[in-house]
Amino acid sequence: MSAAEYARHDALGLAELLQRGELAPQELLETAIAAAQKLNPQLNAIVRPMHEIARARAAAPLSGPFAGVPFLVKDLCQEYAGVPTSYGTRVLKDERYAASEHAEMVQRWLRAGLVVFGRTNTPEFGAKGITEPEAWGPCRNPWNPAHTPGGSSGGSAAAVAAGIVPVAGANDGGGSIRLPAAHCGLFGLKPGRGRTPQGPRYVERMHGAVIDHVLTRSVRDSAAMLDATHGPEHGALFHVAPPERPYIDEVGRDPGRLKIGFTARSPIGTAVDPEAVQAVRDAAKLLESLGHHVEEAEPQIDGPQLGKDFITMWFATCAANMDDVRRGTGCRESDFELDTRAMAGFGRALRANLYVEGYLRWNEYARQLGDFHRRHDLFLTPSLALPPARIGEIRTPDWQQRALRILLALGLEGLLLKSDIVDQMVHENLKWVPFTQLANLTGVPAMSVPTHWTAAGLPLGVQFVAAPGGEGLLLRLAAQIEQAQPWAQRRPAIHLANS
């Protein structure tokens, strides 16, 4: 198979070729490996190749809807037995820390017939909306390698956008599927809480705010992958009703005339770039042309407080992750990145009652979003407040790094929390990405759709947020938009078809 032909197909298209016997899984895998070897030096999307493991699997009998299709998993959770999962940190790169078993999500991907041949770049503990870990180096956006592909699933997004694979594993605890999709011109669906598995080690992360799925070029690949992976797992704390019909059957199904509320206003009061505003307004016009009712409206939610509650949970989770790795490896705190140590320090300094108070407000946000969904089928926003940043642009300034080192050395994180530092950190951490956390804290499904490119040629997607159980509705609308304004034929500067 030629590189150009490989790059033309989505995952279901490749699976159809394999099912018809037009090529063998081994041949397809070698095409994908060659694509990775050609493009990855420019992108740094794949940080741990698994070629021999993949070759052995491709040579064995395979079954499932994606039997023989090459695939990449994210190097954050999504453990593969016998292979280290680094979580973007130097400490866990060591072969001694190879996973003893597959993650449940990986097990389901394997049952679907996928052939995993590598793990993708991610920031340390997935704690940033960019993918520039010190452990592996920055991942680059195929549309312009001077810019970030977003995070934390940046490596997966870059690999899919460049044509190395048609689909790759991702997860989303604050936007980490939707944000890299928006950065890289891809479709990114975040399923609702409990829709896909998280185990076996943890059956729920961040009280259900984290969910695993994929990044894709086509809507139908995302739907078919969700069909292959959704459903409860052993020990699940939370169960959701099964879908009314297979998700793949939603693709091409008429969504009906929807009532959609939209805003381009940042929920935390930060600036929104005119390109992001235009992306939403253009999407609203497209939706109207498709027969939907679109109006300016948004949930009545205290956005700054929601941002603060999200950051509180994020920092506390970072502290727990770091402490877990230290217990398991005996490493030192200095083995982690400074920004990670600072986040963990603030997380440890938080009082338990404040943590619980913030978590209890999640229910308030869910009720307020539920009130909005009584009047509107979907909520439309920018996916990003600002166009994709340049590599290093969101780096912590040197003077702040010096201050953080002093604070951490003196143990003054608790005193700092009594000031307005958390409010400042909410603004600094979320000003690029203030729109996506709502869906995580409320547990509802949401998606980023690639409808807009900036004047500089960078993607800038828009986000749709649905009510609980709304994955099918999102897929119906996404497929309608995909047909009306196709995006798959657009190719970034670094793409297999261009090589």
Side-chain angles (χ1 to χ4, degrees), residues 94-355:
D94 196 302
E95 295 287 340
R96 291 176 296 169
Y97 305 123
S100 60
E101 60 183 326
H102 296 316
E104 176 62 25
M105 190 66 169
V106 170
Q107 192 71 261
R108 295 186 186 190
W109 284 327
L110 294 175
R111 284 200 294 267
L114 292 159
V115 177
V116 178
F117 71 99
R119 303 188 64 83
T120 60
N121 206 347
T122 187
E124 191 166 59
F125 295 126
K128 294 181 179 179
I130 54 174
T131 302
E132 301 177 24
E134 293 176 7
W136 299 107
C139 181
R140 297 180 179 275
N141 193 320
W143 293 89
N144 184 332
H147 291 258
T148 178
S152 62
S153 306
S156 289
V160 174
I164 295 173
V165 286
V167 58
N171 38 44
D172 190 318
S176 292
I177 289 175
R178 291 157 289 157
L179 297 175
H183 280 76
C184 292
L186 302 175
F187 178 66
L189 172 69
K190 181 199 83 71
R193 179 188 177 197
R195 184 64 68 190
T196 60
Q198 299 285 296
R201 188 178 182 193
Y202 303 112
V203 295
E204 196 172 75
R205 286 176 280 153
M206 278 180 55
H207 303 295
V210 180
I211 195 77
D212 282 66
H213 190 41
V214 292
L215 284 154
T216 65
R217 292 197 297 268
S218 71
V219 174
R220 71 172 191 162
D221 273 357
S222 186
M225 290 290 282
L226 192 55
D227 279 326
T229 57
H230 78 84
E233 64 183 305
H234 177 68
L237 302 175
F238 182 81
H239 292 261
V240 293
E244 182 180 353
R245 61 186 68 86
Y247 289 113
I248 192 64
D249 291 349
E250 303 291 2
V251 179
R253 192 180 184 90
D254 185 359
R257 186 172 189 265
L258 303 177
K259 186 176 182 181
I260 301 172
F262 76 91
T263 186
R265 185 187 69 86
S266 167
I268 61 172
T270 49
V272 177
D273 191 271
E275 289 271 18
V277 174
Q278 191 62 47
V280 168
R281 297 201 174 276
D282 286 350
K285 291 177 183 176
L286 174 63
L287 293 165
E288 286 180 335
S289 75
L290 295 172
H292 303 296
H293 174 78
V294 185
E295 63 184 26
E296 288 202 55
E298 58 187 299
Q300 297 304 300
I301 292 174
D302 185 342
Q305 185 62 60
L306 184 148
K308 190 172 182 178
D309 292 338
F310 172 78
I311 287 292
T312 296
M313 174 65 68
W314 201 251
F315 288 177
T317 300
C318 189
N321 288 336
M322 183 186 290
D323 291 346
D324 181 52
V325 172
R326 290 194 67 190
R327 283 192 299 270
T329 66
C331 71
R332 300 166 299 175
E333 186 137 335
S334 59
D335 291 324
F336 300 94
E337 295 178 22
L338 176 61
D339 287 352
T340 306
R341 299 194 329 255
M343 285 187 272
F346 288 119
R348 294 190 196 101
L350 289 164
R351 298 202 310 272
N353 63 308
L354 295 179
Y355 175 96

Side-chain angles (χ1 to χ4, degrees), residues 172 174-176 178-179 190 382-383 433-440 463:
D172 190 318
S176 292
R178 291 157 289 157
L179 297 175
K190 181 199 83 71
S383 296
V433 293
F435 298 102
T436 51
Q437 296 77 33
L438 170 63
N440 296 92
Q463 175 186 227

